[in-house]
Amino acid sequence: MPILEIQNLTHTYGIGTPFQRSAVEDVSFSVEKGEFLGIIGHTGSGKSTLIQHLNGLLKPTSGQILLEGRDIWAEPKKIRNIRFQVGLVFQYPEYQLFEETVYKDISFGPKNQGKAGEELDHAVREAARLVGLRDEHLEKSPFELSGGQKRRVALAGVLAMEPKVLVLDEPTAGLDPAGRENLMANIREYHRHKNATIILVSHSMDEIAQNVDRILVLKSAHILMGGTPAEVFTRVEELLSAGLDVPQVTRVALALRDRGLPIDSAVYTVEALERQLLALKRGGGPC
Amino acid sequence: MLKDITLGQYFPGNTAAHKLDPRTKILLVVLYITALFTAKSFLAYGLMALVLAVCVRVSKVGLRALVKGLKPVLFIIVFTGVLNLFFTPGEGILWAWGPLHITSSGLRNAAFMVLRIMLLIMGTFLLTYTTSPISLTDGLERLLNGLKRFHVPVHELTMIMSIALRFIPTLIEETDKIMSAQKARGADFESGNLMEKAKALVPILVPLFISAFRRADELATAMECRCYHGGEGRTKLHVLKYGRRDYTALALGVLVLAGVIAMRAFGR
């Protein structure tokens, strides 16, 4: 059974006003346990609206969201429980920090959950460890930290709730290249060690290509396509027409193929292209 | 939702009301309010309602938007109405029950007060609906220019005002975002007693203040980078100029006020 199932989800803003507009329309997909799913789409394609449904921040206009087979809106009064199970990290989450110390800020979520004492302490320290924060950081004020570290604190604040599904909205936006790679490495490690289910929303094709098992492409409130990175990145034309890009290495492969090299252009990692090129060279091709 | 707040929202348009000089509109609103508070008879209120209706018609602002503006003050309107209805002393008691009584003058008072507040709010809203915040503060600055002689920092005050107006939607959006983010961490803003509810606001207010300060700081730097140094010697891109339309509108405004004063003088 999929851990998360979205059935015919539609969300319409401003019903009955001249500004009525569907941000998400008849979207269905499911996420398996332990899967790393990537969602890409142009600005305004409905990504943010979509993910805010997953933890019940927004209520669908029509359609259902099933978490482990149960409709999350079955008991509207208990929607807070859903938010602990589906952890959502917003864009630029460092702007939501408010406590005096990093430790206290991370413990905000688990405390709301009702954790206390040993259990709380363990959850906070484990989350801090997962995002690579050292013990000495925990007693500092979050406002003394660097941008990248603040973001880690915010991420830890959600991880400390030990959610079953983690949803990340552009977690690396605005970080420098080293900061991006470090943060993604932490997220990958979290995925691997905890067999966690992760949904990653990103603008960066390279980031998506390198990390996820499966990709959903959104275009103007609908799912344009879905599949493994290899499947999605072969449909270059459609991606470009949706205002999206392909990973840089895919573009290199395409350019090489255009110049007559017999290359499978559905590559999205540098290693895969390297293998192909080496094979060509050994085979005595025109390389 | 917070997004639904319409406070002094501007509806762009190209009507005569939009084209009036902002100073004219501010002066007209002053005349209108004076007239409203002078009015003492149904005839006078009728005239004011007619004036408002004509203005609404000219400005092409939907009546629905105007009525929507009344919603936040509905409580005050009802409260004033009820208070005046039941507690006005006077002759000719129509209905009484314990300390409560309705007199004919109470009925009159209540009707007048409710009418007055409604007309007042709709009239002032018409100003902000048809005038962009920028031109509104621009007009205000020019109108208050004379006060500079008394060392009133008119330019600075209007600049503060326009920046504040400009940032209302931004901060509302920001608040919405922060609220969602804290809700995602299980924050609960709905349940609990008053004290707990106040405490629950801390996770919103702290980030909001920090972000407001950050924005102010960034804005100040950006303004300095563009050589802003206060109002001294600053010229305007759009120089305000009264036209024939403005004189006509002002003349009509004065006429209405004179009419209302005359009605009051003759006790009608």
Side-chain angles (χ1 to χ4, degrees), chain A residues 55 57 80 83-84 88 90 95-98 105 108-109 112 143 161, chain B residues 64 174 178 180-188 202-203 206-207 210 214:
Chain A
N55 71 343
L57 277 176
R80 228 154 64 94
R83 300 198 179 132
F84 299 127
L88 174 57
F90 275 88
Y95 294 147
Q96 79 208 24
L97 302 177
F98 68 98
D105 206 284
F108 180 66
N112 284 333
F143 304 108
M161 303 188 304
Chain B
R64 187 183 289 177
E174 188 97 8
I178 295 171
S180 300
Q182 306 298 25
K183 270 193 208 159
R185 295 209 275 167
D188 185 6
V202 173
V206 173
I210 289 170
R214 196 187 64 241

PDB file of all heavy atoms in Angstrom, chain A residues 55 57 80 83-84 88 90 95-98 105 108-109 112 143 161, chain B residues 64 174 178 180-188 202-203 206-207 210 214:
ATOM      1  N   ASN A  55      -0.031  17.915   4.078  1.00  0.00           N
ATOM      2  CA  ASN A  55      -0.105  17.864   5.535  1.00  0.00           C
ATOM      3  C   ASN A  55      -1.339  18.604   6.060  1.00  0.00           C
ATOM      4  O   ASN A  55      -1.405  18.963   7.230  1.00  0.00           O
ATOM      5  CB  ASN A  55       1.169  18.420   6.174  1.00  0.00           C
ATOM      6  CG  ASN A  55       1.285  19.918   6.023  1.00  0.00           C
ATOM      7  OD1 ASN A  55       0.616  20.510   5.197  1.00  0.00           O
ATOM      8  ND2 ASN A  55       2.120  20.525   6.827  1.00  0.00           N
ATOM      9  N   LEU A  57      -2.528  21.646   5.417  1.00  0.00           N
ATOM     10  CA  LEU A  57      -2.566  23.097   5.620  1.00  0.00           C
ATOM     11  C   LEU A  57      -3.651  23.700   4.748  1.00  0.00           C
ATOM     12  O   LEU A  57      -4.295  24.675   5.114  1.00  0.00           O
ATOM     13  CB  LEU A  57      -1.219  23.723   5.265  1.00  0.00           C
ATOM     14  CG  LEU A  57      -0.153  23.681   6.345  1.00  0.00           C
ATOM     15  CD1 LEU A  57       1.150  24.257   5.825  1.00  0.00           C
ATOM     16  CD2 LEU A  57      -0.592  24.436   7.584  1.00  0.00           C
ATOM     17  N   ARG A  80      -4.018  18.212  13.174  1.00  0.00           N
ATOM     18  CA  ARG A  80      -2.683  18.485  13.698  1.00  0.00           C
ATOM     19  C   ARG A  80      -1.833  17.209  13.724  1.00  0.00           C
ATOM     20  O   ARG A  80      -0.633  17.255  13.477  1.00  0.00           O
ATOM     21  CB  ARG A  80      -2.796  19.058  15.115  1.00  0.00           C
ATOM     22  CG  ARG A  80      -1.961  20.292  15.339  1.00  0.00           C
ATOM     23  CD  ARG A  80      -2.543  21.146  16.417  1.00  0.00           C
ATOM     24  NE  ARG A  80      -2.546  20.498  17.715  1.00  0.00           N
ATOM     25  CZ  ARG A  80      -1.578  20.655  18.613  1.00  0.00           C
ATOM     26  NH1 ARG A  80      -0.545  21.410  18.370  1.00  0.00           N
ATOM     27  NH2 ARG A  80      -1.654  20.060  19.773  1.00  0.00           N
ATOM     28  N   ARG A  83      -0.066  16.692  10.580  1.00  0.00           N
ATOM     29  CA  ARG A  83       1.094  17.575  10.356  1.00  0.00           C
ATOM     30  C   ARG A  83       2.350  17.021  10.996  1.00  0.00           C
ATOM     31  O   ARG A  83       3.454  17.337  10.577  1.00  0.00           O
ATOM     32  CB  ARG A  83       0.785  18.970  10.897  1.00  0.00           C
ATOM     33  CG  ARG A  83      -0.416  19.532  10.192  1.00  0.00           C
ATOM     34  CD  ARG A  83      -0.572  21.010  10.299  1.00  0.00           C
ATOM     35  NE  ARG A  83      -1.757  21.384   9.545  1.00  0.00           N
ATOM     36  CZ  ARG A  83      -2.711  22.176   9.989  1.00  0.00           C
ATOM     37  NH1 ARG A  83      -2.606  22.720  11.177  1.00  0.00           N
ATOM     38  NH2 ARG A  83      -3.752  22.438   9.240  1.00  0.00           N
ATOM     39  N   PHE A  84       2.179  16.205  12.055  1.00  0.00           N
ATOM     40  CA  PHE A  84       3.365  15.589  12.649  1.00  0.00           C
ATOM     41  C   PHE A  84       3.843  14.413  11.808  1.00  0.00           C
ATOM     42  O   PHE A  84       5.012  14.057  11.833  1.00  0.00           O
ATOM     43  CB  PHE A  84       3.064  15.102  14.073  1.00  0.00           C
ATOM     44  CG  PHE A  84       2.651  16.203  15.003  1.00  0.00           C
ATOM     45  CD1 PHE A  84       1.476  16.112  15.738  1.00  0.00           C
ATOM     46  CD2 PHE A  84       3.438  17.336  15.142  1.00  0.00           C
ATOM     47  CE1 PHE A  84       1.094  17.136  16.582  1.00  0.00           C
ATOM     48  CE2 PHE A  84       3.062  18.358  15.990  1.00  0.00           C
ATOM     49  CZ  PHE A  84       1.879  18.261  16.711  1.00  0.00           C
ATOM     50  N   LEU A  88       6.476  19.178   6.738  1.00  0.00           N
ATOM     51  CA  LEU A  88       6.624  20.074   5.595  1.00  0.00           C
ATOM     52  C   LEU A  88       7.642  21.157   5.932  1.00  0.00           C
ATOM     53  O   LEU A  88       7.482  21.882   6.909  1.00  0.00           O
ATOM     54  CB  LEU A  88       5.266  20.696   5.252  1.00  0.00           C
ATOM     55  CG  LEU A  88       5.233  21.764   4.167  1.00  0.00           C
ATOM     56  CD1 LEU A  88       5.809  21.249   2.864  1.00  0.00           C
ATOM     57  CD2 LEU A  88       3.811  22.241   3.936  1.00  0.00           C
ATOM     58  N   PHE A  90       9.094  24.540   4.551  1.00  0.00           N
ATOM     59  CA  PHE A  90       8.791  25.562   3.560  1.00  0.00           C
ATOM     60  C   PHE A  90      10.050  26.124   2.914  1.00  0.00           C
ATOM     61  O   PHE A  90      11.158  25.879   3.372  1.00  0.00           O
ATOM     62  CB  PHE A  90       8.030  26.709   4.228  1.00  0.00           C
ATOM     63  CG  PHE A  90       6.571  26.476   4.314  1.00  0.00           C
ATOM     64  CD1 PHE A  90       6.028  25.818   5.399  1.00  0.00           C
ATOM     65  CD2 PHE A  90       5.740  26.906   3.307  1.00  0.00           C
ATOM     66  CE1 PHE A  90       4.672  25.591   5.477  1.00  0.00           C
ATOM     67  CE2 PHE A  90       4.379  26.681   3.379  1.00  0.00           C
ATOM     68  CZ  PHE A  90       3.859  26.019   4.462  1.00  0.00           C
ATOM     69  N   TYR A  95      13.392  31.776   8.097  1.00  0.00           N
ATOM     70  CA  TYR A  95      12.654  32.961   8.530  1.00  0.00           C
ATOM     71  C   TYR A  95      11.581  32.633   9.561  1.00  0.00           C
ATOM     72  O   TYR A  95      10.899  33.517  10.049  1.00  0.00           O
ATOM     73  CB  TYR A  95      12.022  33.679   7.332  1.00  0.00           C
ATOM     74  CG  TYR A  95      13.048  34.266   6.413  1.00  0.00           C
ATOM     75  CD1 TYR A  95      12.848  34.345   5.045  1.00  0.00           C
ATOM     76  CD2 TYR A  95      14.263  34.748   6.928  1.00  0.00           C
ATOM     77  CE1 TYR A  95      13.810  34.878   4.206  1.00  0.00           C
ATOM     78  CE2 TYR A  95      15.231  35.277   6.086  1.00  0.00           C
ATOM     79  CZ  TYR A  95      14.998  35.332   4.737  1.00  0.00           C
ATOM     80  OH  TYR A  95      15.949  35.856   3.915  1.00  0.00           O
ATOM     81  N   GLN A  96      11.408  31.352   9.867  1.00  0.00           N
ATOM     82  CA  GLN A  96      10.388  31.027  10.861  1.00  0.00           C
ATOM     83  C   GLN A  96      11.003  30.741  12.229  1.00  0.00           C
ATOM     84  O   GLN A  96      10.303  30.420  13.173  1.00  0.00           O
ATOM     85  CB  GLN A  96       9.587  29.812  10.383  1.00  0.00           C
ATOM     86  CG  GLN A  96      10.300  28.498  10.601  1.00  0.00           C
ATOM     87  CD  GLN A  96       9.889  27.449   9.596  1.00  0.00           C
ATOM     88  OE1 GLN A  96       9.429  27.765   8.510  1.00  0.00           O
ATOM     89  NE2 GLN A  96      10.054  26.209   9.959  1.00  0.00           N
ATOM     90  N   LEU A  97      12.324  30.856  12.348  1.00  0.00           N
ATOM     91  CA  LEU A  97      12.972  30.617  13.643  1.00  0.00           C
ATOM     92  C   LEU A  97      12.571  31.724  14.608  1.00  0.00           C
ATOM     93  O   LEU A  97      12.458  32.880  14.227  1.00  0.00           O
ATOM     94  CB  LEU A  97      14.491  30.604  13.484  1.00  0.00           C
ATOM     95  CG  LEU A  97      15.051  29.576  12.508  1.00  0.00           C
ATOM     96  CD1 LEU A  97      16.555  29.722  12.394  1.00  0.00           C
ATOM     97  CD2 LEU A  97      14.697  28.177  12.950  1.00  0.00           C
ATOM     98  N   PHE A  98      12.349  31.350  15.866  1.00  0.00           N
ATOM     99  CA  PHE A  98      11.916  32.399  16.799  1.00  0.00           C
ATOM    100  C   PHE A  98      12.445  32.220  18.206  1.00  0.00           C
ATOM    101  O   PHE A  98      12.353  33.142  19.018  1.00  0.00           O
ATOM    102  CB  PHE A  98      10.389  32.451  16.843  1.00  0.00           C
ATOM    103  CG  PHE A  98       9.770  31.230  17.484  1.00  0.00           C
ATOM    104  CD1 PHE A  98       9.377  31.267  18.809  1.00  0.00           C
ATOM    105  CD2 PHE A  98       9.606  30.077  16.765  1.00  0.00           C
ATOM    106  CE1 PHE A  98       8.824  30.147  19.402  1.00  0.00           C
ATOM    107  CE2 PHE A  98       9.052  28.958  17.357  1.00  0.00           C
ATOM    108  CZ  PHE A  98       8.659  28.992  18.672  1.00  0.00           C
ATOM    109  N   ASP A 105      14.363  25.952  19.653  1.00  0.00           N
ATOM    110  CA  ASP A 105      13.634  26.080  18.401  1.00  0.00           C
ATOM    111  C   ASP A 105      13.349  24.710  17.780  1.00  0.00           C
ATOM    112  O   ASP A 105      12.259  24.453  17.296  1.00  0.00           O
ATOM    113  CB  ASP A 105      14.403  26.952  17.407  1.00  0.00           C
ATOM    114  CG  ASP A 105      13.450  27.611  16.427  1.00  0.00           C
ATOM    115  OD1 ASP A 105      12.977  26.909  15.501  1.00  0.00           O
ATOM    116  OD2 ASP A 105      13.140  28.787  16.610  1.00  0.00           O
ATOM    117  N   PHE A 108      10.412  22.883  19.338  1.00  0.00           N
ATOM    118  CA  PHE A 108       9.050  23.422  19.230  1.00  0.00           C
ATOM    119  C   PHE A 108       8.072  22.391  18.661  1.00  0.00           C
ATOM    120  O   PHE A 108       7.000  22.154  19.228  1.00  0.00           O
ATOM    121  CB  PHE A 108       9.059  24.677  18.351  1.00  0.00           C
ATOM    122  CG  PHE A 108       7.713  25.322  18.161  1.00  0.00           C
ATOM    123  CD1 PHE A 108       7.054  25.907  19.226  1.00  0.00           C
ATOM    124  CD2 PHE A 108       7.111  25.351  16.909  1.00  0.00           C
ATOM    125  CE1 PHE A 108       5.818  26.511  19.049  1.00  0.00           C
ATOM    126  CE2 PHE A 108       5.870  25.955  16.728  1.00  0.00           C
ATOM    127  CZ  PHE A 108       5.238  26.532  17.798  1.00  0.00           C
ATOM    128  N   GLY A 109       8.460  21.763  17.561  1.00  0.00           N
ATOM    129  CA  GLY A 109       7.589  20.771  16.920  1.00  0.00           C
ATOM    130  C   GLY A 109       7.308  19.575  17.825  1.00  0.00           C
ATOM    131  O   GLY A 109       6.155  19.272  18.141  1.00  0.00           O
ATOM    132  N   ASN A 112       5.040  20.331  20.696  1.00  0.00           N
ATOM    133  CA  ASN A 112       3.639  20.405  20.286  1.00  0.00           C
ATOM    134  C   ASN A 112       3.049  19.016  20.131  1.00  0.00           C
ATOM    135  O   ASN A 112       1.853  18.803  20.310  1.00  0.00           O
ATOM    136  CB  ASN A 112       3.505  21.142  18.953  1.00  0.00           C
ATOM    137  CG  ASN A 112       3.670  22.636  19.106  1.00  0.00           C
ATOM    138  OD1 ASN A 112       3.395  23.178  20.181  1.00  0.00           O
ATOM    139  ND2 ASN A 112       4.126  23.296  18.071  1.00  0.00           N
ATOM    140  N   PHE A 143      19.880  33.233  15.690  1.00  0.00           N
ATOM    141  CA  PHE A 143      20.142  34.422  14.880  1.00  0.00           C
ATOM    142  C   PHE A 143      21.625  34.741  14.774  1.00  0.00           C
ATOM    143  O   PHE A 143      22.020  35.627  14.039  1.00  0.00           O
ATOM    144  CB  PHE A 143      19.353  35.608  15.435  1.00  0.00           C
ATOM    145  CG  PHE A 143      17.895  35.311  15.500  1.00  0.00           C
ATOM    146  CD1 PHE A 143      17.264  35.092  16.714  1.00  0.00           C
ATOM    147  CD2 PHE A 143      17.156  35.191  14.334  1.00  0.00           C
ATOM    148  CE1 PHE A 143      15.918  34.772  16.753  1.00  0.00           C
ATOM    149  CE2 PHE A 143      15.815  34.867  14.381  1.00  0.00           C
ATOM    150  CZ  PHE A 143      15.188  34.659  15.594  1.00  0.00           C
ATOM    151  N   MET A 161      10.237  15.977  14.638  1.00  0.00           N
ATOM    152  CA  MET A 161       8.896  15.424  14.835  1.00  0.00           C
ATOM    153  C   MET A 161       8.831  13.986  14.324  1.00  0.00           C
ATOM    154  O   MET A 161       7.798  13.345  14.428  1.00  0.00           O
ATOM    155  CB  MET A 161       7.851  16.274  14.114  1.00  0.00           C
ATOM    156  CG  MET A 161       7.857  17.724  14.545  1.00  0.00           C
ATOM    157  SD  MET A 161       6.484  18.695  13.882  1.00  0.00           S
ATOM    158  CE  MET A 161       6.637  18.468  12.142  1.00  0.00           C
TER     159      MET A 161
ATOM    160  N   ARG B  64     -20.709  46.384  -4.318  1.00  0.00           N
ATOM    161  CA  ARG B  64     -20.399  45.233  -3.468  1.00  0.00           C
ATOM    162  C   ARG B  64     -19.087  45.453  -2.716  1.00  0.00           C
ATOM    163  O   ARG B  64     -18.976  45.166  -1.532  1.00  0.00           O
ATOM    164  CB  ARG B  64     -20.311  43.973  -4.329  1.00  0.00           C
ATOM    165  CG  ARG B  64     -20.150  42.725  -3.499  1.00  0.00           C
ATOM    166  CD  ARG B  64     -19.983  41.504  -4.381  1.00  0.00           C
ATOM    167  NE  ARG B  64     -21.217  41.141  -5.064  1.00  0.00           N
ATOM    168  CZ  ARG B  64     -21.301  40.148  -5.928  1.00  0.00           C
ATOM    169  NH1 ARG B  64     -20.211  39.454  -6.233  1.00  0.00           N
ATOM    170  NH2 ARG B  64     -22.435  39.852  -6.499  1.00  0.00           N
ATOM    171  N   GLU B 174       3.537  37.796   4.443  1.00  0.00           N
ATOM    172  CA  GLU B 174       4.580  37.237   5.303  1.00  0.00           C
ATOM    173  C   GLU B 174       3.959  36.522   6.516  1.00  0.00           C
ATOM    174  O   GLU B 174       4.342  35.414   6.873  1.00  0.00           O
ATOM    175  CB  GLU B 174       5.462  38.399   5.785  1.00  0.00           C
ATOM    176  CG  GLU B 174       6.681  37.965   6.520  1.00  0.00           C
ATOM    177  CD  GLU B 174       7.887  37.928   5.614  1.00  0.00           C
ATOM    178  OE1 GLU B 174       7.785  38.391   4.475  1.00  0.00           O
ATOM    179  OE2 GLU B 174       8.910  37.402   6.054  1.00  0.00           O
ATOM    180  N   ILE B 178       4.400  32.624   7.611  1.00  0.00           N
ATOM    181  CA  ILE B 178       4.948  32.208   8.907  1.00  0.00           C
ATOM    182  C   ILE B 178       3.924  31.359   9.654  1.00  0.00           C
ATOM    183  O   ILE B 178       4.253  30.333  10.244  1.00  0.00           O
ATOM    184  CB  ILE B 178       5.366  33.433   9.746  1.00  0.00           C
ATOM    185  CG1 ILE B 178       6.514  34.169   9.055  1.00  0.00           C
ATOM    186  CG2 ILE B 178       5.805  33.018  11.139  1.00  0.00           C
ATOM    187  CD1 ILE B 178       6.862  35.497   9.666  1.00  0.00           C
ATOM    188  N   SER B 180       1.631  29.449   8.368  1.00  0.00           N
ATOM    189  CA  SER B 180       1.601  28.111   7.774  1.00  0.00           C
ATOM    190  C   SER B 180       2.794  27.306   8.242  1.00  0.00           C
ATOM    191  O   SER B 180       2.667  26.124   8.567  1.00  0.00           O
ATOM    192  CB  SER B 180       1.635  28.201   6.250  1.00  0.00           C
ATOM    193  OG  SER B 180       0.537  28.903   5.783  1.00  0.00           O
ATOM    194  N   ALA B 181       3.969  27.956   8.255  1.00  0.00           N
ATOM    195  CA  ALA B 181       5.178  27.229   8.639  1.00  0.00           C
ATOM    196  C   ALA B 181       5.084  26.740  10.081  1.00  0.00           C
ATOM    197  O   ALA B 181       5.467  25.607  10.391  1.00  0.00           O
ATOM    198  CB  ALA B 181       6.398  28.120   8.461  1.00  0.00           C
ATOM    199  N   GLN B 182       4.559  27.587  10.962  1.00  0.00           N
ATOM    200  CA  GLN B 182       4.464  27.155  12.360  1.00  0.00           C
ATOM    201  C   GLN B 182       3.355  26.116  12.540  1.00  0.00           C
ATOM    202  O   GLN B 182       3.471  25.224  13.365  1.00  0.00           O
ATOM    203  CB  GLN B 182       4.240  28.346  13.302  1.00  0.00           C
ATOM    204  CG  GLN B 182       5.262  29.466  13.185  1.00  0.00           C
ATOM    205  CD  GLN B 182       6.686  29.063  13.511  1.00  0.00           C
ATOM    206  OE1 GLN B 182       7.072  27.906  13.411  1.00  0.00           O
ATOM    207  NE2 GLN B 182       7.494  30.048  13.876  1.00  0.00           N
ATOM    208  N   LYS B 183       2.298  26.253  11.749  1.00  0.00           N
ATOM    209  CA  LYS B 183       1.249  25.230  11.805  1.00  0.00           C
ATOM    210  C   LYS B 183       1.815  23.888  11.372  1.00  0.00           C
ATOM    211  O   LYS B 183       1.439  22.843  11.904  1.00  0.00           O
ATOM    212  CB  LYS B 183       0.095  25.609  10.875  1.00  0.00           C
ATOM    213  CG  LYS B 183      -0.979  26.437  11.531  1.00  0.00           C
ATOM    214  CD  LYS B 183      -2.179  26.450  10.606  1.00  0.00           C
ATOM    215  CE  LYS B 183      -2.998  27.688  10.762  1.00  0.00           C
ATOM    216  NZ  LYS B 183      -3.827  27.928   9.576  1.00  0.00           N
ATOM    217  N   ALA B 184       2.713  23.927  10.380  1.00  0.00           N
ATOM    218  CA  ALA B 184       3.323  22.684   9.909  1.00  0.00           C
ATOM    219  C   ALA B 184       4.141  22.038  11.015  1.00  0.00           C
ATOM    220  O   ALA B 184       4.419  20.855  10.973  1.00  0.00           O
ATOM    221  CB  ALA B 184       4.201  22.962   8.689  1.00  0.00           C
ATOM    222  N   ARG B 185       4.561  22.840  11.999  1.00  0.00           N
ATOM    223  CA  ARG B 185       5.282  22.273  13.136  1.00  0.00           C
ATOM    224  C   ARG B 185       4.326  22.024  14.308  1.00  0.00           C
ATOM    225  O   ARG B 185       4.746  21.909  15.458  1.00  0.00           O
ATOM    226  CB  ARG B 185       6.398  23.215  13.581  1.00  0.00           C
ATOM    227  CG  ARG B 185       7.463  23.381  12.527  1.00  0.00           C
ATOM    228  CD  ARG B 185       8.796  23.687  13.154  1.00  0.00           C
ATOM    229  NE  ARG B 185       8.976  25.098  13.439  1.00  0.00           N
ATOM    230  CZ  ARG B 185       9.959  25.560  14.215  1.00  0.00           C
ATOM    231  NH1 ARG B 185      10.801  24.732  14.786  1.00  0.00           N
ATOM    232  NH2 ARG B 185      10.080  26.851  14.422  1.00  0.00           N
ATOM    233  N   GLY B 186       3.049  22.039  14.008  1.00  0.00           N
ATOM    234  CA  GLY B 186       2.079  21.668  15.030  1.00  0.00           C
ATOM    235  C   GLY B 186       1.624  22.799  15.927  1.00  0.00           C
ATOM    236  O   GLY B 186       0.997  22.556  16.951  1.00  0.00           O
ATOM    237  N   ALA B 187       1.934  24.052  15.544  1.00  0.00           N
ATOM    238  CA  ALA B 187       1.455  25.167  16.360  1.00  0.00           C
ATOM    239  C   ALA B 187      -0.065  25.187  16.316  1.00  0.00           C
ATOM    240  O   ALA B 187      -0.672  24.850  15.311  1.00  0.00           O
ATOM    241  CB  ALA B 187       2.011  26.477  15.827  1.00  0.00           C
ATOM    242  N   ASP B 188      -0.653  25.588  17.422  1.00  0.00           N
ATOM    243  CA  ASP B 188      -2.107  25.565  17.537  1.00  0.00           C
ATOM    244  C   ASP B 188      -2.573  26.969  17.914  1.00  0.00           C
ATOM    245  O   ASP B 188      -2.276  27.453  18.986  1.00  0.00           O
ATOM    246  CB  ASP B 188      -2.497  24.554  18.621  1.00  0.00           C
ATOM    247  CG  ASP B 188      -3.995  24.398  18.719  1.00  0.00           C
ATOM    248  OD1 ASP B 188      -4.693  24.991  17.874  1.00  0.00           O
ATOM    249  OD2 ASP B 188      -4.449  23.694  19.633  1.00  0.00           O
ATOM    250  N   VAL B 202       3.615  34.146  19.914  1.00  0.00           N
ATOM    251  CA  VAL B 202       5.058  34.420  19.930  1.00  0.00           C
ATOM    252  C   VAL B 202       5.770  33.851  18.699  1.00  0.00           C
ATOM    253  O   VAL B 202       6.526  34.558  18.041  1.00  0.00           O
ATOM    254  CB  VAL B 202       5.690  33.905  21.235  1.00  0.00           C
ATOM    255  CG1 VAL B 202       7.204  34.019  21.185  1.00  0.00           C
ATOM    256  CG2 VAL B 202       5.149  34.694  22.414  1.00  0.00           C
ATOM    257  N   PRO B 203       5.504  32.582  18.339  1.00  0.00           N
ATOM    258  CA  PRO B 203       6.198  32.039  17.169  1.00  0.00           C
ATOM    259  C   PRO B 203       5.859  32.754  15.863  1.00  0.00           C
ATOM    260  O   PRO B 203       6.544  32.562  14.868  1.00  0.00           O
ATOM    261  CB  PRO B 203       5.707  30.582  17.102  1.00  0.00           C
ATOM    262  CG  PRO B 203       5.193  30.283  18.439  1.00  0.00           C
ATOM    263  CD  PRO B 203       4.674  31.561  19.004  1.00  0.00           C
ATOM    264  N   VAL B 206       7.653  36.995  16.626  1.00  0.00           N
ATOM    265  CA  VAL B 206       9.115  37.153  16.601  1.00  0.00           C
ATOM    266  C   VAL B 206       9.652  37.129  15.168  1.00  0.00           C
ATOM    267  O   VAL B 206      10.316  38.075  14.745  1.00  0.00           O
ATOM    268  CB  VAL B 206       9.800  36.099  17.496  1.00  0.00           C
ATOM    269  CG1 VAL B 206      11.302  36.150  17.324  1.00  0.00           C
ATOM    270  CG2 VAL B 206       9.430  36.320  18.949  1.00  0.00           C
ATOM    271  N   PRO B 207       9.326  36.086  14.377  1.00  0.00           N
ATOM    272  CA  PRO B 207       9.842  36.115  13.001  1.00  0.00           C
ATOM    273  C   PRO B 207       9.309  37.297  12.201  1.00  0.00           C
ATOM    274  O   PRO B 207      10.016  37.860  11.383  1.00  0.00           O
ATOM    275  CB  PRO B 207       9.339  34.797  12.398  1.00  0.00           C
ATOM    276  CG  PRO B 207       8.998  33.938  13.533  1.00  0.00           C
ATOM    277  CD  PRO B 207       8.596  34.835  14.644  1.00  0.00           C
ATOM    278  N   ILE B 210      11.297  40.382  13.135  1.00  0.00           N
ATOM    279  CA  ILE B 210      12.649  40.284  12.580  1.00  0.00           C
ATOM    280  C   ILE B 210      12.622  40.585  11.096  1.00  0.00           C
ATOM    281  O   ILE B 210      13.433  41.346  10.577  1.00  0.00           O
ATOM    282  CB  ILE B 210      13.235  38.884  12.861  1.00  0.00           C
ATOM    283  CG1 ILE B 210      13.547  38.763  14.341  1.00  0.00           C
ATOM    284  CG2 ILE B 210      14.492  38.654  12.036  1.00  0.00           C
ATOM    285  CD1 ILE B 210      13.904  37.372  14.783  1.00  0.00           C
ATOM    286  N   ARG B 214      14.362  43.598   9.050  1.00  0.00           N
ATOM    287  CA  ARG B 214      15.279  43.303   7.960  1.00  0.00           C
ATOM    288  C   ARG B 214      14.855  44.067   6.704  1.00  0.00           C
ATOM    289  O   ARG B 214      15.664  44.690   6.037  1.00  0.00           O
ATOM    290  CB  ARG B 214      15.277  41.797   7.682  1.00  0.00           C
ATOM    291  CG  ARG B 214      16.460  41.348   6.835  1.00  0.00           C
ATOM    292  CD  ARG B 214      16.332  39.893   6.429  1.00  0.00           C
ATOM    293  NE  ARG B 214      15.188  39.682   5.581  1.00  0.00           N
ATOM    294  CZ  ARG B 214      14.180  38.892   5.898  1.00  0.00           C
ATOM    295  NH1 ARG B 214      14.167  38.239   7.021  1.00  0.00           N
ATOM    296  NH2 ARG B 214      13.164  38.758   5.074  1.00  0.00           N
TER     297      ARG B 214
END
